[in-house]
Amino acid sequence: ERFAEGFIGRVMSMPASSPLHDPSLHTQLEIVINRDGTIHRMAVARPSGTLVFDVGAIDAGRASGPFPAPPEA
């Protein structure tokens, strides 16, 4: 099981004081897509400050591929 699978359910069962309940959390990912729409590379460009949230973002990004082929440059 990937980390992101069931992540929301696990967060909802955590105490309200958990830092993962902070609605302002966001992670910015940099994703490089191959011509066939597969992920070439993914990295955290701006972390949320909460490692477990960032790991969940990466896992969710991986699970969302493959993507449509990017436009020609």
Side-chain angles (χ1 to χ4, degrees):
E1 174 183 336
R2 290 181 180 226
F3 178 80
E5 294 174 11
F7 181 73
I8 299 298
R10 288 191 295 272
V11 168
M12 297 308 289
S13 67
M14 293 177 180
S17 61
S18 170
L20 294 178
H21 281 288
D22 180 353
S24 68
L25 278 178
H26 67 276
T27 301
Q28 183 176 353
L29 300 176
E30 177 183 51
I31 304 172
V32 178
I33 307 294
N34 293 317
R35 289 181 186 217
D36 65 357
T38 59
I39 296 172
H40 175 72
R41 183 183 69 225
M42 184 181 314
V44 174
R46 289 187 185 212
S48 68
T50 303
L51 181 61
V52 68
F53 189 83
D54 296 342
V55 170
I58 290 171
D59 225 20
R62 285 189 183 132
S64 63
F67 298 93
E72 294 294 322

